[in-house]
Amino acid sequence: MDMPQRSQDVALLPCRHVSLDMAHFLARRISEFSALTVEVLAPWELPREAFHELRGQYHVGLVLEALEKMSAEESYRRLVAVVAQDLFLPIFTHVYGEARLSGRVAIVSLYRLEAAQDGVVPTRQMIRERAAKVVIHELLHTFGLTHCRHAGCLMQPVTTIPGLDSLHIRLCRSCANLWSTIRPGILSPKPP
């Protein structure tokens, strides 16, 4: 009897303005952190209807809806889009990322992660590490992890670049315990 094949765990979907080097770096960081398999998909375009002319930003909720439609019939368990454009929710001026809690899709924007802060232009490595933190944070939301109050935990909500820079890619004990109970179910093959 053949062993059931495990579907791709995570598909990383870069928009056409995100370098493939960045996409592959993020795929490696996801895999290193989680032991999930990650495939980098061909670049895509953000849906035009999600663009808000007055704000000059993309409505993240509308983009997530488009991603949900895109992922509905695919074999991967999660879809994470990485875009270069600025994202917003009506109640926030911007968001670094957003995910459907316990859903299949998430999105991360590099736009503000690449911006200079207090006159300091971030290095390539700083941008990559910021992006990895946000991507893994949002991906973990799709597996049911919520925001955490423990200082330094990757699941802590972050609204500033200095706050993001102060985090490490690690979970507090509570979040790590929750992740350790969820992860084995993800790594098991899907039945045929």
Side-chain angles (χ1 to χ4, degrees), residues 3 5 12 24 30 36 42 55 61 68 92 94 104 111 116 135 137 151 156 161 184 191:
M3 190 69 157
Q5 291 294 317
L12 190 75
H24 287 288
I30 291 169
L36 299 174
R55 294 181 75 137
E68 286 170 332
F92 297 116
H94 67 275
R104 288 190 60 185
Y111 185 83
V135 164
H137 174 102
Q156 186 178 19
I161 292 296

Side-chain angles (χ1 to χ4, degrees), residues 20 51 62-63 69 89 100 118 122-123 142-143 159 178 182:
L20 286 179
F51 186 70
L62 298 176
V63 178
K69 289 176 188 168
L89 278 171
R100 297 287 196 217
D118 300 323
T123 65
T142 70
F143 290 112
T159 58
L178 180 56
I182 294 168

Side-chain angles (χ1 to χ4, degrees), residues 70-150:
M70 186 184 303
S71 72
E73 296 181 20
E74 299 298 332
S75 63
Y76 38 81
R77 297 171 195 250
R78 299 296 187 270
L79 174 65
V80 180
V82 180
V83 302
Q85 293 84 349
D86 202 14
L87 303 173
F88 80 97
L89 278 171
I91 59 171
F92 297 116
T93 58
H94 67 275
V95 293
Y96 301 133
E98 185 74 14
R100 297 287 196 217
L101 187 61
S102 299
R104 288 190 60 185
V105 299
I107 187 168
V108 171
S109 169
L110 303 179
Y111 185 83
R112 292 182 187 260
L113 306 181
E114 296 174 338
Q117 291 284 313
D118 300 323
V120 177
V121 177
T123 65
R124 178 175 176 257
Q125 189 58 31
M126 287 172 70
I127 295 166
R128 287 163 57 127
E129 287 303 315
R130 288 172 180 169
K133 292 172 190 179
V134 179
V135 164
I136 294 168
H137 174 102
E138 298 303 338
L139 177 63
L140 290 175
H141 278 320
T142 70
F143 290 112
L145 274 72
T146 58
H147 282 151
C148 178
R149 293 175 303 175
H150 292 97

